[in-house]
Amino acid sequence: QVQLKESGGGVAQTGGSLRLSCAASGLSVSNYAMGWFRQAPGKEREFVAAVSWNDVNTYYADSVKGRFTISRDNAKNTVYLQMNSLKPEDAAVYRCAAGWITASEGMAVYNAYDYYGQGTQVTVSS
């Protein structure tokens, strides 16, 4: 059974940092494209970041480019999202996703992924 479990959410101050983790079981993250999505109350879900299955390419939403970094530790079967210079508008529930995606156009598409975590809450205080 595939499971993606996020952790690392919490409360950070504006300008602060958090590192989210997505620990996988039942699949090897090294074989999948991995992505992060977020959804704030009353807003649509949005793409945050993704990394291709072979680690060749990373993708970021314009709103987080230069502040967030996605990475993967295959030995720990875990994907990370390092979030720096946090802003109040970054507050949301963050979910990781795994998918057999080879086309770059699919990396930012939520429904292109096959497995999803439950999410972790990020709150940014001003």
Side-chain angles (χ1 to χ4, degrees):
Q1 182 178 357
V2 173
Q3 186 174 17
L4 301 177
K5 178 65 175 176
E6 301 93 340
S7 62
V11 180
Q13 290 188 331
T14 296
S17 298
L18 285 174
R19 188 177 78 157
L20 306 184
S21 300
C22 173
S25 59
L27 63 78
S28 295
V29 298
S30 60
N31 294 333
Y32 286 82
M34 301 297 297
W36 286 94
F37 294 82
R38 68 185 182 187
Q39 188 167 18
K43 294 187 177 181
E44 293 188 354
R45 183 187 303 115
E46 64 175 346
F47 167 74
V48 177
V51 57
S52 61
W53 70 272
N54 56 7
D55 281 337
V56 170
N57 296 304
T58 54
Y59 306 84
Y60 296 94
D62 288 341
S63 59
V64 307
K65 206 170 292 184
R67 300 187 298 121
F68 290 12
T69 303
I70 188 170
S71 62
R72 186 202 324 251
D73 186 333
N74 292 334
K76 294 183 177 180
N77 213 27
T78 299
V79 176
Y80 303 97
L81 184 68
Q82 178 67 44
M83 306 187 297
N84 298 329
S85 302
L86 283 163
K87 304 176 180 180
E89 52 263 41
D90 293 320
V93 173
Y94 284 71
R95 299 180 73 178
C96 67
W100 182 241
I101 305 169
T102 56
S104 59
E105 304 82 62
M107 299 297 287
V109 178
Y110 184 79
N111 290 336
Y113 290 79
D114 301 295
Y115 305 103
Y116 306 91
Q118 292 296 312
T120 185
Q121 177 72 51
V122 170
T123 302
V124 183
S125 62
S126 56

